[in-house]
Amino acid sequence: MLYFVVLLSMIAVAYGGTDGRPVVHLPKAVFEVINQAKVDCLKEKGLSDEIGEKFLKLDFTPDAGMKTFSYCLARKTNYCDDDGHFSDSFITLFGDHKSKDEIQKVVDKCNKIKKDTTTNTFFDVMVCFFKDTPVLVLP
């Protein structure tokens, strides 16, 4: 999930700026893993490159392809559990950041979401987190 969050945050800056939220910097090495997970998910799930492009533009359309892709990417990066919620280790991505308690509250709030499938659950959890997180994670 580290790579997933980095990807979301990197794209947010590229397409819309940091919107005033503080930035948490992570190592650049994660991008190779992100790209490989993206390629693997698109191929394994038989999804078009357009879904990956929309995702990179933060165009989180609530369609089946986008939900499948985002859940696959989160699972491949190991910060999403089998139920479609952020795993316990997700918060460790933020180290000792001064907003860690606030981030944990957002994770806890978003992880209460439960939908009919794991892909639907994760999609809504992801959108909730990205909308409400007090920081952006960037390289």
Side-chain angles (χ1 to χ4, degrees):
M1 193 65 204
L2 164 67
Y3 311 115
F4 181 71
V5 172
V6 171
L7 178 63
L8 286 177
S9 300
M10 175 181 71
I11 291 160
V13 169
Y15 287 93
T18 63
D19 69 11
R21 290 185 269 184
V23 174
V24 174
H25 292 280
L26 296 173
K28 292 182 179 184
V30 299
F31 295 109
E32 289 179 25
V33 176
I34 292 168
N35 288 330
Q36 188 60 54
K38 175 187 159 199
V39 168
D40 291 347
C41 287
L42 291 172
K43 183 177 179 181
E44 289 171 15
K45 302 300 180 183
L47 299 169
S48 72
D49 289 339
E50 180 183 354
I51 296 220
E53 291 170 18
K54 287 173 79 172
F55 182 87
L56 294 177
K57 292 178 182 176
L58 302 179
D59 184 3
F60 301 135
T61 54
D63 58 57
M66 182 62 68
K67 291 177 181 184
T68 298
F69 175 75
S70 59
Y71 178 70
C72 178
L73 190 63
R75 291 295 293 149
K76 284 198 177 289
T77 54
N78 297 317
Y79 284 93
C80 175
D81 64 22
D82 292 334
D83 295 325
H85 296 103
F86 290 124
S87 63
D88 291 338
S89 60
F90 178 72
I91 195 68
T92 64
L93 297 175
F94 303 96
D96 293 328
H97 191 274
K98 65 182 180 178
S99 297
K100 190 172 182 177
D101 290 340
E102 292 174 60
I103 296 165
Q104 182 66 59
K105 287 177 186 176
V106 173
V107 169
D108 292 344
K109 178 188 92 165
C110 296
N111 270 349
K112 291 179 182 176
I113 296 171
K114 177 71 175 147
K115 299 295 179 176
D116 58 334
T117 66
T118 54
T119 55
N120 286 338
T121 297
F122 182 72
F123 182 81
D124 286 1
V125 168
M126 172 191 70
V127 169
C128 173
F129 179 79
F130 187 73
K131 182 181 126 241
D132 293 343
T133 184
V135 299
L136 292 177
V137 182
L138 300 172

